[in-house]
Amino acid sequence: MAAGHSVPGRLVDSLHTTFLRPGRSDLPVRFQVEHLRDGRQFSTRVVDAVQDDRLVCRSTISLMEPREGVAHSRRRPVSASVEDSIELRELAEADGGLGEYWEGFSAVDVRVSPESDETPLHSAAPVQNIWMRVAEELGDDPLVHQAAIGYVSDLMLMSMAVAPHGHRAGQERSLGERWSAVSLDHALWFHQPARADEWLLFEHATPTAHAGRSLVEAAVFGEPESQVCHVVQEALVREN
């Protein structure tokens, strides 16, 4: 949002964030915007998130003017519909509930599609197809929807980071008890406009992990069935 407000009329094309220190939810965050470049089509910004005069994370953000050009998309993966998918809270009951991390969390609706037994070529474990949307109507500002999609994109990645080691979506309490994990970096590419307050399908996969660093990605699909966003994150994971 900070980068977008510095370039009226341009929307986020990509975002690359490096997490440097743990942040705290009970302290305000100051966002400092550095203008790197303004070209005819693209603008580049660096945004630092600062808490208590400590740099928590740094993002490099590319923004561009909407325009016509070459377009194509892979098909949306085969998945159960929203109606046939299971609410995350309901799915977690067999694991003793969602756990402390999710207490009071109501900003996003999360539904999990029944898992396939097939492991695709691009993942080390069966993909987790998860439907998500922001629970409240967000209005029509496309920058707000991009920010909300970025927020939502981070919710279920850790679950996929340890999927090759027996974890499944909905076992969120077990995830916290068995594993310690932190995000090292997070990247998004926005391909076309999408509304965060409408259902989006996130196809989660993990192609590789080594030395405790697990790479996770999510292809995000809207309506019609074209890909609207792509997410990649590296997480540092260890077993407790």
Side-chain angles (χ1 to χ4, degrees):
M1 290 297 295
H5 283 308
S6 76
V7 196
R10 296 190 173 187
L11 295 175
V12 177
D13 164 56
S14 65
L15 175 148
H16 298 75
T17 295
T18 300
F19 299 101
L20 304 171
R21 293 183 177 89
R24 289 176 54 178
S25 59
D26 60 343
L27 291 177
V29 183
R30 184 174 74 254
F31 294 98
Q32 301 174 169
V33 181
E34 179 183 356
H35 295 225
L36 289 190
R37 182 178 183 271
D38 286 305
R40 285 185 297 176
Q41 184 175 355
F42 290 91
S43 295
T44 307
R45 299 290 185 264
V46 171
V47 179
D48 288 342
V50 179
Q51 270 191 334
D52 225 7
D53 293 325
R54 288 159 53 89
L55 182 60
V56 175
C57 69
R58 171 168 288 176
S59 299
T60 303
I61 300 166
S62 173
L63 306 101
M64 68 174 294
E65 292 182 4
R67 62 174 59 190
E68 297 296 323
V70 63
H72 59 259
S73 174
R74 55 167 285 200
R75 290 181 296 175
R76 191 168 73 185
V78 176
S79 170
S81 66
V82 173
E83 294 75 18
D84 292 330
S85 298
I86 307 169
E87 288 190 15
L88 182 65
R89 190 172 301 279
E90 179 182 342
L91 187 64
E93 290 176 358
D95 190 51
L98 284 174
E100 181 180 355
Y101 175 81
W102 291 87
E103 282 184 9
F105 194 89
S106 58
V108 181
D109 295 326
V110 182
R111 296 189 184 184
V112 181
S113 172
E115 189 175 283
S116 168
D117 293 330
E118 181 182 353
T119 299
L121 293 176
H122 68 285
S123 181
V127 299
Q128 294 178 355
N129 288 322
I130 298 175
W131 294 94
M132 291 191 279
R133 69 175 178 185
V134 174
E136 296 184 12
E137 198 170 311
L138 294 180
D140 295 325
D141 185 345
L143 184 64
V144 171
H145 287 274
Q146 286 189 323
I149 290 172
Y151 176 79
V152 168
S153 73
D154 188 45
L155 288 182
M156 300 298 295
L157 293 176
M158 291 301 181
S159 176
M160 192 67 208
V162 291
H165 307 279
H167 178 79
R168 295 294 177 265
Q171 300 173 338
E172 308 311 307
R173 183 181 294 272
S174 297
L175 178 66
E177 292 174 352
R178 181 181 174 188
W179 301 95
S180 294
V182 294
S183 304
L184 297 176
D185 52 27
H186 190 91
L188 296 96
W189 291 264
F190 291 98
H191 308 307
Q192 56 181 291
R195 294 189 64 93
D197 53 8
E198 296 179 355
W199 288 109
L200 297 171
L201 179 64
F202 289 71
E203 181 201 57
H204 291 82
T206 178
T208 187
H210 181 71
R213 293 176 292 110
S214 181
L215 191 70
V216 190
E217 60 183 7
V220 187
F221 297 84
E223 293 291 352
E225 299 183 356
S226 55
Q227 186 171 348
V228 299
C229 180
H230 200 86
V231 184
V232 178
Q233 184 178 101
E234 187 178 52
L236 182 63
V237 183
R238 72 171 187 270
E239 193 164 10
N240 293 332

mmCIF file of all heavy atoms in Angstrom, residues 142-172:
data_model
loop_
_atom_site.group_PDB
_atom_site.id
_atom_site.type_symbol
_atom_site.label_atom_id
_atom_site.label_comp_id
_atom_site.label_asym_id
_atom_site.label_seq_id
_atom_site.Cartn_x
_atom_site.Cartn_y
_atom_site.Cartn_z
ATOM 1 N N PRO A 142 -8.309 -1.313 -6.559
ATOM 2 C CA PRO A 142 -7.536 -2.511 -6.909
ATOM 3 C C PRO A 142 -6.273 -2.677 -6.069
ATOM 4 O O PRO A 142 -5.825 -3.797 -5.835
ATOM 5 C CB PRO A 142 -7.193 -2.319 -8.390
ATOM 6 C CG PRO A 142 -7.336 -0.851 -8.633
ATOM 7 C CD PRO A 142 -8.395 -0.371 -7.700
ATOM 8 N N LEU A 143 -5.697 -1.563 -5.588
ATOM 9 C CA LEU A 143 -4.507 -1.656 -4.745
ATOM 10 C C LEU A 143 -4.831 -2.326 -3.408
ATOM 11 O O LEU A 143 -4.039 -3.115 -2.884
ATOM 12 C CB LEU A 143 -3.914 -0.264 -4.513
ATOM 13 C CG LEU A 143 -2.602 -0.203 -3.729
ATOM 14 C CD1 LEU A 143 -1.477 -0.916 -4.499
ATOM 15 C CD2 LEU A 143 -2.209 1.251 -3.448
ATOM 16 N N VAL A 144 -6.001 -2.050 -2.859
ATOM 17 C CA VAL A 144 -6.438 -2.688 -1.612
ATOM 18 C C VAL A 144 -6.567 -4.196 -1.824
ATOM 19 O O VAL A 144 -6.165 -5.001 -0.979
ATOM 20 C CB VAL A 144 -7.772 -2.090 -1.132
ATOM 21 C CG1 VAL A 144 -8.343 -2.903 0.031
ATOM 22 C CG2 VAL A 144 -7.577 -0.640 -0.705
ATOM 23 N N HIS A 145 -7.107 -4.604 -2.963
ATOM 24 C CA HIS A 145 -7.264 -6.036 -3.241
ATOM 25 C C HIS A 145 -5.904 -6.707 -3.419
ATOM 26 O O HIS A 145 -5.705 -7.844 -2.974
ATOM 27 C CB HIS A 145 -8.157 -6.237 -4.468
ATOM 28 C CG HIS A 145 -9.595 -5.946 -4.196
ATOM 29 N ND1 HIS A 145 -10.471 -6.877 -3.680
ATOM 30 C CD2 HIS A 145 -10.312 -4.792 -4.340
ATOM 31 C CE1 HIS A 145 -11.662 -6.334 -3.523
ATOM 32 N NE2 HIS A 145 -11.595 -5.071 -3.927
ATOM 33 N N GLN A 146 -4.948 -6.013 -4.046
ATOM 34 C CA GLN A 146 -3.601 -6.578 -4.161
ATOM 35 C C GLN A 146 -2.977 -6.761 -2.780
ATOM 36 O O GLN A 146 -2.361 -7.797 -2.497
ATOM 37 C CB GLN A 146 -2.723 -5.672 -5.020
ATOM 38 C CG GLN A 146 -3.041 -5.727 -6.499
ATOM 39 C CD GLN A 146 -2.008 -4.978 -7.330
ATOM 40 O OE1 GLN A 146 -1.494 -3.931 -6.940
ATOM 41 N NE2 GLN A 146 -1.694 -5.520 -8.498
ATOM 42 N N ALA A 147 -3.139 -5.763 -1.913
ATOM 43 C CA ALA A 147 -2.586 -5.864 -0.563
ATOM 44 C C ALA A 147 -3.224 -7.016 0.198
ATOM 45 O O ALA A 147 -2.546 -7.769 0.909
ATOM 46 C CB ALA A 147 -2.793 -4.543 0.179
ATOM 47 N N ALA A 148 -4.528 -7.184 0.048
ATOM 48 C CA ALA A 148 -5.229 -8.259 0.756
ATOM 49 C C ALA A 148 -4.822 -9.634 0.233
ATOM 50 O O ALA A 148 -4.677 -10.586 1.006
ATOM 51 C CB ALA A 148 -6.740 -8.062 0.630
ATOM 52 N N ILE A 149 -4.636 -9.753 -1.086
ATOM 53 C CA ILE A 149 -4.170 -11.026 -1.647
ATOM 54 C C ILE A 149 -2.775 -11.340 -1.112
ATOM 55 O O ILE A 149 -2.470 -12.488 -0.761
ATOM 56 C CB ILE A 149 -4.179 -10.977 -3.189
ATOM 57 C CG1 ILE A 149 -5.621 -10.961 -3.707
ATOM 58 C CG2 ILE A 149 -3.425 -12.178 -3.778
ATOM 59 C CD1 ILE A 149 -5.734 -10.714 -5.193
ATOM 60 N N GLY A 150 -1.903 -10.324 -1.024
ATOM 61 C CA GLY A 150 -0.588 -10.538 -0.438
ATOM 62 C C GLY A 150 -0.683 -11.032 0.998
ATOM 63 O O GLY A 150 0.056 -11.931 1.414
ATOM 64 N N TYR A 151 -1.592 -10.462 1.761
ATOM 65 C CA TYR A 151 -1.798 -10.883 3.156
ATOM 66 C C TYR A 151 -2.270 -12.336 3.220
ATOM 67 O O TYR A 151 -1.704 -13.158 3.952
ATOM 68 C CB TYR A 151 -2.821 -9.955 3.802
ATOM 69 C CG TYR A 151 -3.206 -10.309 5.217
ATOM 70 C CD1 TYR A 151 -2.380 -9.989 6.285
ATOM 71 C CD2 TYR A 151 -4.410 -10.946 5.490
ATOM 72 C CE1 TYR A 151 -2.731 -10.309 7.592
ATOM 73 C CE2 TYR A 151 -4.773 -11.271 6.781
ATOM 74 C CZ TYR A 151 -3.938 -10.944 7.828
ATOM 75 O OH TYR A 151 -4.298 -11.267 9.105
ATOM 76 N N VAL A 152 -3.299 -12.644 2.427
ATOM 77 C CA VAL A 152 -3.876 -13.992 2.437
ATOM 78 C C VAL A 152 -2.859 -15.033 1.966
ATOM 79 O O VAL A 152 -2.837 -16.171 2.459
ATOM 80 C CB VAL A 152 -5.143 -14.012 1.546
ATOM 81 C CG1 VAL A 152 -5.612 -15.437 1.293
ATOM 82 C CG2 VAL A 152 -6.253 -13.191 2.176
ATOM 83 N N SER A 153 -1.995 -14.650 1.022
ATOM 84 C CA SER A 153 -1.084 -15.618 0.404
ATOM 85 C C SER A 153 -0.150 -16.277 1.405
ATOM 86 O O SER A 153 0.371 -17.363 1.152
ATOM 87 C CB SER A 153 -0.260 -14.930 -0.695
ATOM 88 O OG SER A 153 0.721 -14.060 -0.139
ATOM 89 N N ASP A 154 0.079 -15.654 2.545
ATOM 90 C CA ASP A 154 1.044 -16.162 3.519
ATOM 91 C C ASP A 154 0.446 -17.175 4.500
ATOM 92 O O ASP A 154 1.172 -17.833 5.233
ATOM 93 C CB ASP A 154 1.635 -14.976 4.300
ATOM 94 C CG ASP A 154 2.787 -15.374 5.206
ATOM 95 O OD1 ASP A 154 3.658 -16.133 4.751
ATOM 96 O OD2 ASP A 154 2.806 -14.940 6.364
ATOM 97 N N LEU A 155 -0.878 -17.323 4.512
ATOM 98 C CA LEU A 155 -1.528 -18.041 5.611
ATOM 99 C C LEU A 155 -1.208 -19.531 5.666
ATOM 100 O O LEU A 155 -1.007 -20.084 6.740
ATOM 101 C CB LEU A 155 -3.044 -17.858 5.533
ATOM 102 C CG LEU A 155 -3.570 -16.481 5.900
ATOM 103 C CD1 LEU A 155 -5.083 -16.471 5.829
ATOM 104 C CD2 LEU A 155 -3.107 -16.091 7.297
ATOM 105 N N MET A 156 -1.182 -20.224 4.524
ATOM 106 C CA MET A 156 -1.119 -21.683 4.531
ATOM 107 C C MET A 156 0.192 -22.228 3.973
ATOM 108 O O MET A 156 0.331 -23.437 3.771
ATOM 109 C CB MET A 156 -2.297 -22.247 3.732
ATOM 110 C CG MET A 156 -3.665 -21.869 4.262
ATOM 111 S SD MET A 156 -4.002 -22.480 5.940
ATOM 112 C CE MET A 156 -3.998 -24.251 5.666
ATOM 113 N N LEU A 157 1.170 -21.376 3.736
ATOM 114 C CA LEU A 157 2.413 -21.839 3.118
ATOM 115 C C LEU A 157 3.211 -22.764 4.032
ATOM 116 O O LEU A 157 3.806 -23.745 3.578
ATOM 117 C CB LEU A 157 3.267 -20.646 2.698
ATOM 118 C CG LEU A 157 2.703 -19.788 1.562
ATOM 119 C CD1 LEU A 157 3.587 -18.583 1.317
ATOM 120 C CD2 LEU A 157 2.558 -20.603 0.282
ATOM 121 N N MET A 158 3.274 -22.462 5.339
ATOM 122 C CA MET A 158 4.040 -23.300 6.259
ATOM 123 C C MET A 158 3.482 -24.720 6.317
ATOM 124 O O MET A 158 4.219 -25.690 6.505
ATOM 125 C CB MET A 158 4.058 -22.693 7.658
ATOM 126 C CG MET A 158 4.863 -21.423 7.773
ATOM 127 S SD MET A 158 6.597 -21.667 7.317
ATOM 128 C CE MET A 158 7.216 -20.005 7.586
ATOM 129 N N SER A 159 2.181 -24.832 6.160
ATOM 130 C CA SER A 159 1.562 -26.155 6.137
ATOM 131 C C SER A 159 2.113 -26.998 4.998
ATOM 132 O O SER A 159 2.391 -28.189 5.145
ATOM 133 C CB SER A 159 0.044 -26.000 6.008
ATOM 134 O OG SER A 159 -0.595 -27.247 5.901
ATOM 135 N N MET A 160 2.323 -26.352 3.838
ATOM 136 C CA MET A 160 2.850 -27.078 2.679
ATOM 137 C C MET A 160 4.338 -27.331 2.804
ATOM 138 O O MET A 160 4.866 -28.306 2.265
ATOM 139 C CB MET A 160 2.561 -26.277 1.400
ATOM 140 C CG MET A 160 2.801 -27.071 0.120
ATOM 141 S SD MET A 160 1.615 -28.424 -0.050
ATOM 142 C CE MET A 160 2.580 -29.596 -1.023
ATOM 143 N N ALA A 161 5.052 -26.479 3.548
ATOM 144 C CA ALA A 161 6.508 -26.612 3.664
ATOM 145 C C ALA A 161 6.923 -27.952 4.258
ATOM 146 O O ALA A 161 8.019 -28.450 3.997
ATOM 147 C CB ALA A 161 7.074 -25.472 4.508
ATOM 148 N N VAL A 162 6.043 -28.537 5.094
ATOM 149 C CA VAL A 162 6.377 -29.821 5.729
ATOM 150 C C VAL A 162 5.439 -30.939 5.276
ATOM 151 O O VAL A 162 5.413 -32.016 5.874
ATOM 152 C CB VAL A 162 6.362 -29.689 7.271
ATOM 153 C CG1 VAL A 162 7.514 -28.822 7.732
ATOM 154 C CG2 VAL A 162 5.047 -29.112 7.778
ATOM 155 N N ALA A 163 4.680 -30.704 4.207
ATOM 156 C CA ALA A 163 3.778 -31.741 3.687
ATOM 157 C C ALA A 163 4.507 -33.030 3.297
ATOM 158 O O ALA A 163 3.987 -34.126 3.531
ATOM 159 C CB ALA A 163 2.986 -31.193 2.501
ATOM 160 N N PRO A 164 5.740 -32.971 2.724
ATOM 161 C CA PRO A 164 6.426 -34.233 2.405
ATOM 162 C C PRO A 164 6.818 -35.042 3.635
ATOM 163 O O PRO A 164 7.246 -36.188 3.506
ATOM 164 C CB PRO A 164 7.681 -33.758 1.642
ATOM 165 C CG PRO A 164 7.330 -32.416 1.103
ATOM 166 C CD PRO A 164 6.475 -31.806 2.172
ATOM 167 N N HIS A 165 6.669 -34.453 4.827
ATOM 168 C CA HIS A 165 7.064 -35.125 6.063
ATOM 169 C C HIS A 165 5.852 -35.515 6.911
ATOM 170 O O HIS A 165 5.953 -35.660 8.130
ATOM 171 C CB HIS A 165 8.020 -34.228 6.848
ATOM 172 C CG HIS A 165 9.174 -33.763 6.024
ATOM 173 N ND1 HIS A 165 10.294 -34.550 5.801
ATOM 174 C CD2 HIS A 165 9.372 -32.624 5.317
ATOM 175 C CE1 HIS A 165 11.137 -33.903 5.006
ATOM 176 N NE2 HIS A 165 10.597 -32.735 4.694
ATOM 177 N N GLY A 166 4.699 -35.662 6.241
ATOM 178 C CA GLY A 166 3.529 -36.214 6.905
ATOM 179 C C GLY A 166 2.484 -35.215 7.353
ATOM 180 O O GLY A 166 1.425 -35.619 7.824
ATOM 181 N N HIS A 167 2.762 -33.922 7.209
ATOM 182 C CA HIS A 167 1.782 -32.927 7.665
ATOM 183 C C HIS A 167 0.705 -32.721 6.606
ATOM 184 O O HIS A 167 0.974 -32.790 5.407
ATOM 185 C CB HIS A 167 2.475 -31.596 7.961
ATOM 186 C CG HIS A 167 1.512 -30.534 8.389
ATOM 187 N ND1 HIS A 167 1.009 -30.466 9.664
ATOM 188 C CD2 HIS A 167 0.932 -29.514 7.701
ATOM 189 C CE1 HIS A 167 0.178 -29.451 9.759
ATOM 190 N NE2 HIS A 167 0.112 -28.859 8.572
ATOM 191 N N ARG A 168 -0.522 -32.433 7.063
ATOM 192 C CA ARG A 168 -1.625 -32.153 6.164
ATOM 193 C C ARG A 168 -2.352 -30.886 6.603
ATOM 194 O O ARG A 168 -2.385 -30.563 7.785
ATOM 195 C CB ARG A 168 -2.610 -33.340 6.125
ATOM 196 C CG ARG A 168 -2.011 -34.612 5.524
ATOM 197 C CD ARG A 168 -1.683 -34.421 4.053
ATOM 198 N NE ARG A 168 -1.036 -35.572 3.446
ATOM 199 C CZ ARG A 168 0.272 -35.723 3.314
ATOM 200 N NH1 ARG A 168 1.104 -34.786 3.762
ATOM 201 N NH2 ARG A 168 0.775 -36.790 2.733
ATOM 202 N N ALA A 169 -2.917 -30.180 5.662
ATOM 203 C CA ALA A 169 -3.691 -28.981 5.982
ATOM 204 C C ALA A 169 -4.801 -29.341 6.961
ATOM 205 O O ALA A 169 -5.478 -30.359 6.809
ATOM 206 C CB ALA A 169 -4.279 -28.380 4.711
ATOM 207 N N GLY A 170 -4.993 -28.506 7.954
ATOM 208 C CA GLY A 170 -5.976 -28.772 9.002
ATOM 209 C C GLY A 170 -5.342 -29.263 10.288
ATOM 210 O O GLY A 170 -5.963 -29.220 11.348
ATOM 211 N N GLN A 171 -4.077 -29.697 10.208
ATOM 212 C CA GLN A 171 -3.359 -30.130 11.412
ATOM 213 C C GLN A 171 -2.524 -28.962 11.950
ATOM 214 O O GLN A 171 -1.334 -29.084 12.181
ATOM 215 C CB GLN A 171 -2.471 -31.337 11.088
ATOM 216 C CG GLN A 171 -3.248 -32.549 10.581
ATOM 217 C CD GLN A 171 -2.336 -33.676 10.106
ATOM 218 O OE1 GLN A 171 -1.171 -33.452 9.761
ATOM 219 N NE2 GLN A 171 -2.867 -34.875 10.073
ATOM 220 N N GLU A 172 -3.192 -27.833 12.155
ATOM 221 C CA GLU A 172 -2.460 -26.613 12.501
ATOM 222 C C GLU A 172 -1.911 -26.652 13.922
ATOM 223 O O GLU A 172 -0.842 -26.104 14.210
ATOM 224 C CB GLU A 172 -3.373 -25.392 12.312
ATOM 225 C CG GLU A 172 -4.046 -25.331 10.946
ATOM 226 C CD GLU A 172 -3.067 -25.539 9.798
ATOM 227 O OE1 GLU A 172 -2.054 -24.829 9.736
ATOM 228 O OE2 GLU A 172 -3.332 -26.419 8.955
#
